[in-house]
Amino acid sequence: MSPTTLLAIETSCDETAAAVAIDAGRELPAPEIRSSVIASQVEIHREWGGVVPELASRQHLRDLCGVVERALSDAGVGWTDLDAIAVTQGPGLVGSLLVGVAFAKSLALGLNRPLVAVNHLAGHIESLFLCHPDLALPSVVLVVSGGHTSLYHLPEAGTYRLVGRTRDDAAGEAFDKVAKLLGLPYPGGPAVDRLARAGDERSIAFPVARMTHADRAPGAPTVKPPGFPMSPGRLDFSFSGLKTAVARHVQRHAAEHGRPLNEWETADVCASFQRAVVDALVERAFEAARRFGARSLGIAGGVSANGRLRDVATSEGEARDLPVLFPTLQLSTDNAAMIAAAGLRQLRAGARASLDLKALPTLPIETGSTP
Ligand code: KG4
Ligand code: ZN
């Protein structure tokens, strides 16, 4: 097999990213990432306390050409060296996705190269294979980010079956909302993570929701483990009640003490909230791994950068003799290297997108819906 040079583009939310990857053939276990460039919009959205979709898409328009040119020059390749283009088709903000999809389609047409449409969540899953090419299968992967909190069963590489998901807020969204009500800067996850280190995680007993009933407003169907009589929803998450409990705690404190939380009290809230989120994530991820007979557990997406999640999941894995794997911190949050990895896997499997490709804000992972 001759080497394939692929350019990947990611614009699903508030990072404009491009990467060049080379698939040298079967000898190498993972593609080589030759460059990975990210233009973050965090400073723009911080002023508003969260991502403003209109501002995000306008900034992608401004940044994308420069980011792609930089990715090519960092990789030492020219336009005509590219063999294929991969782009995030969804899920994400439609205006943001459109910028990347339109750019990628034009490039594929102009260069007469194949186009591959990548699911953003498949990208997060593939970030694990980039960092751990020998990840043992079958595996269970938790994708935990600002927009998603989902559990996938991977019977083999490239097959992702949705087995659990959040019924309301994503874990990262809960971090961001709690940070906002504590007056911490956006994005909230890193700020809460940092402050929690100074707090007492047992000081406040915030409730953690357990799903024992079927979802009354289900989205994409989830897959049950074969031969396991499992109550519906056991592997689902819910974080909106926890966020409300934190809001009530903050209000009650202000009413009782006649002042807002001080720095130490804020650190205690961060630590206790973070414990509740991490315990819910870890408990259900290990439950899924047990039920699906996984030989490894992967944790990817922006929240996988969380210090407590890394510590607790790693020590729980050691206790249960189950390898727990994370991407590097750079590959945890949104980037195009992971889209390149997913794109190359799909390209090898023969996937080609048409030039009619549309951005799909709620795109499901195709191979997730059937057992
Ligand atoms: O994967 P990502 O970059 O974008 C999405 O696809 O959503 O994830 C961003 C999310 C944000 O909600 C951010 O607050 C959260 O990841 N995050 C963290 C940490 N670093 C980023 N959450 C908890 N602890 C962190 N250290
Ligand atoms: Zn993401």
Side-chain angles (χ1 to χ4, degrees):
M1 196 173 92
S2 58
T4 304
T5 303
L6 174 133
L7 169 72
I9 293 167
E10 152 66 37
T11 62
S12 67
C13 189
D14 60 342
E15 322 278 5
T16 315
V20 173
I22 299 193
D23 187 350
R26 295 196 188 281
E27 319 84 67
L28 289 180
E32 180 198 350
I33 302 299
R34 292 286 285 268
S35 65
S36 178
V37 178
I38 303 172
S40 173
Q41 304 179 2
V42 160
E43 293 307 323
I44 295 165
H45 299 293
R46 180 167 291 147
E47 197 182 326
W48 306 94
V51 178
V52 183
E54 175 70 14
L55 294 181
S57 47
R58 287 179 188 278
Q59 196 61 31
H60 285 307
L61 268 179
R62 283 186 203 104
D63 287 341
L64 188 53
C65 289
V67 165
V68 168
E69 280 169 354
R70 179 71 191 269
L72 294 180
S73 73
D74 283 2
V77 301
W79 296 107
T80 52
D81 296 321
L82 298 176
D83 299 307
I85 317 292
V87 66
T88 304
Q89 184 190 10
L93 299 170
V94 71
S96 292
L97 290 165
L98 265 172
V99 177
V101 167
F103 187 99
K105 287 199 293 192
S106 319
L107 206 52
L109 180 68
L111 294 172
N112 192 25
R113 297 291 193 273
L115 178 68
V116 184
V118 174
N119 183 297
H120 181 78
L121 302 173
H124 277 300
I125 295 172
E126 292 298 330
S127 71
L128 287 161
F129 288 90
L130 266 183
C131 301
H132 311 281
D134 50 358
L135 184 138
L137 295 167
S139 182
V140 159
V141 173
L142 170 68
V143 177
V144 63
S145 71
H148 300 271
T149 299
S150 305
L151 277 165
Y152 298 94
H153 170 222
L154 277 67
E156 68 232 11
T159 300
Y160 324 110
R161 293 177 180 163
L162 183 68
V163 297
R165 52 155 146 48
T166 182
R167 301 269 180 95
D168 40 56
D169 291 353
E173 190 180 358
F175 269 97
D176 294 338
K177 287 178 176 170
V178 162
K180 196 170 183 179
L181 65 91
L182 293 174
L184 301 173
Y186 174 84
V192 171
D193 189 356
R194 221 171 16 251
L195 255 182
R197 279 176 217 149
D200 173 3
E201 63 175 23
R202 306 242 160 225
S203 56
I204 308 153
F206 288 127
V208 181
R210 284 178 170 277
M211 302 289 118
T212 52
H213 56 279
D215 194 349
R216 289 187 200 91
T222 52
V223 175
K224 288 193 189 69
F228 260 99
M230 184 172 62
S231 51
R234 273 290 300 280
L235 297 176
D236 284 355
F237 304 91
S238 166
F239 294 109
S240 72
L242 175 59
K243 176 196 64 193
T244 308
V246 176
R248 287 227 179 88
H249 176 86
V250 172
Q251 285 159 3
R252 207 178 316 118
H253 181 281
E256 281 171 15
H257 296 83
R259 59 165 177 81
L261 299 167
N262 65 26
E263 201 182 326
W264 300 114
E265 290 158 347
T266 304
D268 283 347
V269 172
C270 288
S272 303
F273 159 77
Q274 182 174 270
R275 177 170 72 94
V277 175
V278 168
D279 287 355
L281 294 173
V282 169
E283 193 252 321
R284 250 140 281 175
F286 278 92
E287 176 66 11
R290 191 179 71 79
R291 293 197 170 234
F292 285 91
R295 294 177 57 220
S296 64
L297 171 64
I299 306 184
V303 181
S304 75
N306 184 266
R308 187 178 191 274
L309 177 57
R310 286 186 176 234
D311 291 348
V312 173
T314 303
S315 51
E316 190 70 31
E318 279 163 10
R320 299 189 193 206
D321 209 15
L322 182 72
V324 178
L325 304 158
F326 292 87
T328 59
L329 289 180
Q330 290 88 336
L331 289 178
S332 294
T333 45
D334 288 350
N335 65 86
M338 67 186 196
I339 304 302
L344 279 169
R345 189 185 291 288
Q346 287 174 231
L347 196 69
R348 274 200 305 269
R352 301 288 183 274
S354 95
L355 292 178
D356 293 336
L357 187 74
K358 292 188 176 46
L360 292 177
T362 57
L363 179 70
I365 289 191
E366 286 304 331
T367 54
S369 47
T370 48

